[in-house]
Amino acid sequence: MKKKKINKNYFLATIMLILFGIFLSGCSSKKKEIVWYISDPESYGVKEAKAYQEIKSERFQLFNERLEELNISAKVVFKYMPNRYEAKEEDFDSRDLSKKEFLFQTKMIENLISKDSDADIVNFSPLEYDKFLNLNEYLKKEENQKVLKVIPESIWKVNAINKKTYQIPRGNVTVSQLTCMFYKPFLEKYHINLEEEKIKNMTPEEIIAFFEPYFEKERLLDDKYYLTSASDLQYSGYFQNRYIPVIGNSRDCNLAVDIKEKKIVNLLDTPEMKQMLKINHMIYTKNLDAHIERQYKNGNPIFCITDIPTIQELTQEREKKWLEITLGDKRLKSSFGNGVLKNSDAKELAVHVLTASMYDEQLSNIMIYGVPDKDYRLENEHAIYQDRQITLSSMGSFKSIGNNRIAYPNELEVKEKRKITEKLLKQTRVYPYSNFTPVLDKNLSKKLAEIMRIYNDIESKTEFEEIPNFEEFIQEQEQKLKEKGVEQVVLHLQKQLEDWKE
C-alpha cells in the first residue's frame, strides 16, 4: 500500500511539472505587440483608414509571419497617422494654409503620443527628433548589427543629427544633381540639336531665350507644347550648390546655411533667390507658361530643371522622352525613414523589428511589393506590379517601409542595383551641413511659420500676378520679413549652427 501511495504522489508531481512547463512555455512565446504608425496606407493596399486606428492588409499578416520565422517575438499592429494638415473651410487662403501646415508638422509626433501612448515606431520627423530614441547603443547589439552592413556608411552619416542616429534611413537612392531636361518629341519635330557643353554654360534665362522664338506666334505650340513654367523650374539645385535649407527644402521657410560663409542666411538677401523670382515673373508676364491657353488643354513643357535626375547606372535601357543634361556634381541628400519613440515601453524589441524590416530581404519585398502572385509577379528576376498605375522609379521605392537596395529590382531598375548603388555612393559627395537640424521651441516655430507665409506669398505673386515695379515689390517683402523678426531668427539659428557637430 505504501509503495502505491508513493507512485501516486510521483504521478501528480510529474503532471504538475508538465503543466507548469507548458505555462512557462506559453508565457515565453507570447508575442509583444509593437504599434507601428504609417502615413501612406494606400501604398499597402489599404483603401480606407481612420486616423490613429489599426489598419489591416494581407501583406501586414505576411510581415508578422516572417517575424515569427526570424524568431522575433513581436506582433506588429499597423495604424494610420495623418502627416498632413487637414484643411478646413476657413483655410481658403493658401498662405494661411501653408502656415498651419508647417505648425502641424512641428507638433505631429507630440500629437500622436497624446492620442496613443502605445505607439512604438513611426515615420521619422526631424522637426521633432527629440521625441525619438537615440539608436547608437541599440545598433551595437548583435541582433541589430546586420542593418549596419546593408545601409552604406554615407547614408548613416548624412542622416545623423549631432552624430546621433534617430532613424533607420529609407532604402531609396537619395542622390541629387542639378539637371536640365528637354522634351525629345519637340526637339525631334523641330529638328533641334542641342550641344551638351553649350547647355552646361548657359543660364536658365539664356536657355529660355534660345527657345522663345519657336513660341512667338503660339504660346501653346501645336496645342501641346509650352516653353516652361515656374513649377517646371525647380531651382533648389542651384541653391543647394551653396545653400542648404535649414528645414526641408527651399520652399519651406527659405532660411539656409551658406556653406561657403558658414552662416545662416535669409535667402531673399541672396542674388540667387532674387534672380529666381525675377525669372518666375518674366515667365508669367510674357505668358511663356501658356497659362491662359493651358486652362482647358493639356500641355508638355519643353524645358525643365530638376535636382532629382534619372541615374543612368541604375536604370534599365528603354526609350526616353527627355534629354537630360546634368550640371555639377552629384550630392547626397538626407532621406526619411522610421524611428522608435523615446516613450516606447518595448524599446529593444521595437528596434529589433525596425532593423529587421531593413536587413531582411523577405520583409522588404513584402512591404515594397506585397503578396506574391497577387500584388506582383517575378519575371526575369524583376518584380512586376499587377497594378500598372503604381508610380515606378529607378531610384527606389517611395514606400515608407522596406529597403529598396536589397529588395527585388522593379521593371525600371537594373538587377545589380545593390552593388551599383554602393559604388555610386562612394563617388557621391556629402555636402557640409546637410544634416544640420535646428531645435524648435514654440516661439521659434511661430516665427518660422510667419516667415514661410511671407515667402509663399512672394512666390505666388511672382508666379501668378502682374507686378508693375519688381524692385519695389522685393523691397516691400524684405521689410515684411524684418517686421516678422527674420533677423532675430537668423541670429538664433546661427547660435545653434555654431553649437552643432558635423
Side-chain angles (χ1 to χ4, degrees):
M1 292 294 294
K2 187 175 180 182
K3 185 177 179 182
K4 191 174 182 180
K5 186 176 181 181
I6 291 171
N7 288 340
K8 184 178 180 182
N9 288 341
Y10 177 79
F11 175 76
L12 289 172
T14 302
I15 293 297
M16 291 298 291
L17 283 171
I18 292 171
L19 291 173
F20 185 64
I22 293 171
F23 173 76
L24 284 178
S25 175
C27 289
S28 63
S29 63
K30 185 177 180 182
K31 296 176 183 176
K32 169 75 176 175
E33 276 195 357
I34 297 296
V35 177
W36 191 327
Y37 271 91
I38 62 174
S39 298
D40 53 344
E42 65 285 347
S43 296
Y44 303 99
V46 179
K47 294 182 179 179
E48 294 184 9
K50 293 184 178 179
Y52 312 106
Q53 293 188 25
E54 182 178 0
I55 52 178
K56 296 182 179 181
S57 80
E58 191 175 348
R59 77 173 73 192
F60 295 161
Q61 183 181 336
L62 292 178
F63 185 93
N64 280 310
E65 288 174 5
R66 179 57 182 165
L67 289 180
E68 189 172 355
E69 292 173 0
L70 295 171
N71 295 318
I72 299 175
S73 298
K75 179 191 175 184
V76 177
V77 174
F78 290 94
K79 295 185 180 182
Y80 168 54
M81 182 187 75
N83 65 351
R84 305 291 298 177
Y85 172 75
E86 295 182 2
K88 301 177 177 62
E89 284 186 25
E90 61 267 25
D91 295 324
F92 65 92
D93 187 330
S94 62
R95 294 164 296 179
D96 283 332
L97 179 58
S98 63
K99 175 182 172 181
K100 290 176 181 179
E101 167 69 18
F102 175 77
L103 291 173
F104 173 81
Q105 293 289 336
T106 65
K107 297 294 180 185
M108 193 166 56
I109 302 301
E110 184 179 311
N111 182 53
L112 167 64
I113 294 170
S114 71
K115 292 181 181 296
D116 188 352
S117 59
D118 292 331
D120 296 294
I121 305 174
V122 66
N123 295 160
F124 182 66
S125 172
L127 296 180
E128 296 179 272
Y129 74 86
D130 58 325
K131 302 290 191 300
F132 288 83
L133 190 66
N134 175 1
L135 300 175
N136 286 31
E137 292 302 314
Y138 292 88
L139 295 179
K140 293 178 182 177
K141 295 181 180 292
E142 185 179 352
E143 64 268 26
N144 299 322
Q145 287 182 4
K146 292 179 184 177
V147 80
L148 297 173
K149 297 176 182 178
V150 298
I151 297 177
E153 185 179 350
S154 56
I155 299 295
W156 291 109
K157 181 180 178 181
V158 80
N159 286 285
I161 297 175
N162 285 332
K163 296 187 176 180
K164 296 177 182 177
T165 299
Y166 293 96
Q167 64 161 319
I168 309 295
R170 278 174 56 180
N172 56 348
V173 182
T174 53
V175 170
S176 173
Q177 186 175 25
L178 186 63
T179 304
C180 289
M181 302 172 62
F182 303 93
Y183 196 53
K184 277 188 173 181
F186 173 82
L187 299 179
E188 290 166 0
K189 179 170 183 177
Y190 289 90
H191 309 290
I192 301 171
N193 294 314
L194 296 179
E195 295 182 32
E196 187 170 327
E197 290 307 312
K198 280 189 177 180
I199 294 294
K200 287 184 176 183
N201 292 312
M202 293 172 73
T203 65
E205 308 96 288
E206 289 171 337
I207 294 174
I208 289 171
F210 173 79
F211 284 110
E212 200 171 345
Y214 292 91
F215 296 87
E216 280 183 355
K217 294 181 180 179
E218 298 176 80
R219 290 310 195 199
L220 189 63
L221 190 57
D222 300 336
D223 281 340
K224 60 182 176 181
Y225 303 123
Y226 65 94
L227 206 163
T228 192
S229 72
S231 59
D232 293 315
L233 301 181
Q234 299 175 26
Y235 285 86
S236 57
Y238 275 104
F239 293 145
Q240 290 176 28
N241 285 330
R242 176 165 175 175
Y243 306 104
I244 305 295
V246 168
I247 297 169
N249 57 54
S250 58
R251 281 184 174 266
D252 283 331
C253 71
N254 290 102
L255 300 178
V257 182
D258 182 335
I259 59 178
K260 184 178 180 181
E261 300 294 332
K262 301 181 181 179
K263 66 179 184 180
I264 302 292
V265 295
N266 168 15
L267 282 177
L268 195 57
D269 291 337
T270 68
E272 292 90 344
M273 172 60 87
K274 288 175 181 173
Q275 186 62 20
M276 182 202 87
L277 296 172
K278 201 170 185 179
I279 293 172
N280 288 351
H281 185 240
M282 179 267 289
I283 290 171
Y284 180 82
T285 303
K286 290 187 172 184
N287 194 29
L288 297 180
D289 56 356
H291 55 269
I292 298 171
E293 295 86 342
R294 275 198 297 142
Q295 286 181 3
Y296 304 105
K297 296 179 181 179
N298 293 324
N300 288 305
I302 60 106
F303 166 49
C304 299
I305 295 176
T306 182
D307 63 343
I308 305 176
T310 300
I311 299 179
Q312 304 299 331
E313 301 96 318
L314 294 173
T315 308
Q316 285 208 96
E317 286 297 324
R318 59 178 56 211
E319 188 177 351
K320 299 170 186 173
K321 287 188 176 181
W322 292 92
L323 168 66
E324 297 186 9
I325 298 177
T326 56
L327 314 174
D329 298 327
K330 293 184 176 74
R331 57 182 294 272
L332 195 59
K333 297 174 69 174
S334 58
S335 56
F336 297 145
N338 293 278
V340 174
L341 293 175
K342 195 186 291 183
N343 72 331
S344 168
D345 62 359
K347 295 179 178 65
E348 289 197 9
L349 184 58
V351 173
H352 194 186
V353 168
L354 178 55
T355 57
S357 73
M358 290 297 289
Y359 69 64
D360 183 72
E361 292 181 22
Q362 197 167 326
L363 286 175
S364 286
N365 283 323
I366 288 169
M367 298 309 279
I368 291 174
Y369 294 112
V371 182
D373 300 321
K374 179 182 177 182
D375 296 319
Y376 75 97
R377 69 183 189 279
L378 280 179
E379 188 176 294
N380 193 26
E381 299 181 49
H382 285 79
I384 311 296
Y385 285 110
Q386 303 287 42
D387 182 358
R388 306 305 292 174
Q389 301 302 311
I390 292 177
T391 302
L392 295 177
S393 167
S394 61
M395 295 176 71
S397 168
F398 296 106
K399 294 183 174 67
S400 59
I401 305 175
N403 186 349
N404 184 73
R405 294 185 191 92
I406 63 174
Y408 297 128
N410 68 41
E411 55 193 283
L412 292 184
E413 296 176 303
V414 294
K415 294 177 185 177
E416 308 81 9
K417 61 178 178 179
R418 180 174 179 177
K419 183 178 178 181
I420 293 173
T421 299
E422 289 174 357
K423 182 179 179 181
L424 180 69
L425 291 175
K426 288 179 181 178
Q427 303 166 348
T428 304
R429 182 182 177 190
V430 177
Y431 271 45
Y433 306 106
S434 294
N435 53 8
F436 169 65
T437 307
V439 178
L440 305 183
D441 57 25
K442 189 175 182 179
N443 183 49
L444 184 57
S445 294
K446 285 184 176 180
K447 287 185 176 180
L448 286 171
E450 289 292 344
I451 291 169
M452 183 186 67
R453 185 187 190 279
I454 294 170
Y455 263 107
N456 281 338
D457 191 35
I458 294 170
E459 293 190 16
S460 177
K461 285 181 176 176
T462 57
E463 291 178 22
F464 305 114
E465 295 181 21
E466 294 286 349
I467 300 174
N469 188 319
F470 186 81
E471 298 302 327
E472 194 174 290
F473 169 77
I474 293 296
Q475 290 173 8
E476 290 172 358
Q477 307 314 309
E478 289 172 335
Q479 183 58 36
K480 286 181 182 179
L481 287 169
K482 284 182 181 179
E483 290 171 1
K484 291 301 180 180
V486 69
E487 292 173 343
Q488 290 77 20
V489 171
V490 166
L491 289 173
H492 186 91
L493 292 173
Q494 182 64 34
K495 178 64 170 65
Q496 289 196 33
L497 183 68
E498 290 165 2
D499 295 336
W500 171 82
K501 300 172 185 175
E502 179 74 69

